[in-house]
Amino acid sequence: MQKDWDDSAQAWIDVMGTDGDWGRRHVLDAPMLARVEARGFRRAVNIGCGEGRFCRMLKARGITTVGIDPTAALIERARCLDPDGDYRVGRGEALDLPPGSMDLAVAYLSLIDIPDLPAALAEAHRVLRPGGTFLIANLQAFNTACPDQGWTREPDGSRRFCIDHYLTPRTVWVAWRGIRIANHHRPLAAYLQGLLDAGFELRHFAEPAPQGVDDDKADRYRRAPNFLVMEWQRRG
Ligand SMILES: C[S@@+](CC[C@H](N)C(=O)[O-])C[C@H]1O[C@@H](n2cnc3c(N)ncnc32)[C@H](O)[C@@H]1O
């Protein structure tokens, strides 16, 4: 599946710009940053860091951050935007980091992209110190279970969000603004049980609403939210 990301890298860079897309700016950044502010984290790994935007945000908060992503063009862009940063081509399933070396691991909308979820969760657990934090933003599982972005029109013109085959894990292709990538649909239980099996305990769970915006997109988001935020702790 790496070819999808290699082929979509430039479109992704264009969509992200320097400030991120609508969902990141209006929904996810604030609750994700709230989980890292004033917590004393010193060393972080951002798994599936893309073009490095959240790494730069962590770095601006004094956290030494390693960004890891298999898409070489995104790592190159991250290095270009942050020449002093530590960005490495690699996969979440095999992190090139010593055991127990991190206080914080972040997966910001990347677990849905990672083919081997148990391997990636085991790696996050391995590189965190006992008591370390795994902060996750992910697509809602009912969102990855929807055909064609979910929204349909009823004969009377009203919109409905539709999902199907929720319990069946599968690869789903999604395309928007020149990006065409494969996501991995898994029921929410696959993530939660996978994290428990890997040795994590749940500390925080949120389904954040859009902030500071009240347009059609925000209205659709409130009807069928795209994202969730979870914080897990590595058992000591
Ligand atoms: C939706 S993007 C999110 C990027 C970034 N975290 C952000 O929020 O902008 C998903 C990222 O996961 C990366 N990815 C794909 N397969 C991966 C894997 N096996 N391990 C780690 N990252 C992967 C892609 O290259 C892409 O950069």
Side-chain angles (χ1 to χ4, degrees):
M1 298 292 178
Q2 185 52 46
K3 187 172 179 328
D4 58 342
W5 269 105
D6 291 336
D7 291 348
S8 296
Q10 188 55 53
W12 182 263
I13 288 166
D14 294 343
V15 167
M16 285 300 124
T18 49
D19 297 335
D21 59 3
W22 188 97
R24 286 166 175 77
R25 283 183 282 116
H26 295 300
V27 183
L28 281 175
D29 281 352
M32 289 291 279
L33 289 171
R35 304 306 304 173
V36 301
E37 305 275 14
R39 297 277 298 274
F41 297 127
R42 287 179 300 118
R43 294 158 303 158
V45 56
N46 188 356
I47 302 161
C49 67
E51 36 63 65
R53 200 185 57 94
F54 200 67
C55 294
R56 297 190 293 278
M57 292 171 123
L58 294 176
K59 207 174 150 193
R61 285 155 179 83
I63 303 171
T64 302
T65 304
V66 183
I68 295 184
D69 198 287
T71 307
L74 297 181
I75 289 295
E76 193 181 315
R77 169 74 172 166
R79 288 176 180 149
C80 184
L81 291 170
D82 177 17
D84 299 332
D86 185 347
Y87 299 98
R88 307 179 191 180
V89 175
R91 302 175 65 81
E93 297 96 326
L95 297 173
D96 182 18
L97 294 168
S101 56
M102 298 287 143
D103 304 311
L104 172 68
V106 176
Y108 195 134
L109 295 183
S110 57
L111 291 185
I112 28 130
D113 293 87
I114 298 182
D116 189 342
L117 181 67
L121 301 182
E123 277 295 85
H125 186 272
R126 182 184 66 78
V127 303
L128 280 170
R129 64 168 171 75
T133 294
F134 190 13
L135 180 61
I136 297 168
N138 209 31
L139 281 180
Q140 294 273 9
F142 64 76
N143 236 285
T144 51
C146 68
D148 294 333
Q149 321 280 333
W151 290 100
T152 59
R153 286 260 183 213
E154 298 293 296
D156 68 0
S158 61
R159 288 173 182 269
R160 290 281 177 272
F161 189 85
C162 101
I163 68 168
D164 208 351
H165 302 292
Y166 176 83
L167 287 177
T168 308
R170 61 190 181 277
T171 300
V172 286
W173 285 91
V174 286
W176 77 106
R177 298 177 70 182
I179 299 162
R180 185 171 180 276
I181 52 168
N183 282 341
H184 298 279
H185 166 69
R186 305 165 178 118
L188 180 59
Y191 291 101
L192 302 187
Q193 193 60 52
L195 283 150
L196 292 168
D197 291 347
F200 290 100
E201 289 176 356
L202 184 61
R203 292 285 175 245
H204 176 79
F205 186 96
E207 294 175 308
Q211 299 295 328
V213 63
D214 198 13
D215 54 12
D216 282 355
K217 208 162 178 167
D219 186 46
R220 283 201 299 281
Y221 187 98
R222 286 186 202 99
R223 292 182 62 185
N226 295 67
F227 307 128
L228 56 79
V229 171
M230 303 186 279
E231 183 180 311
W232 294 77
Q233 186 173 30
R234 184 191 150 149
R235 281 201 291 270

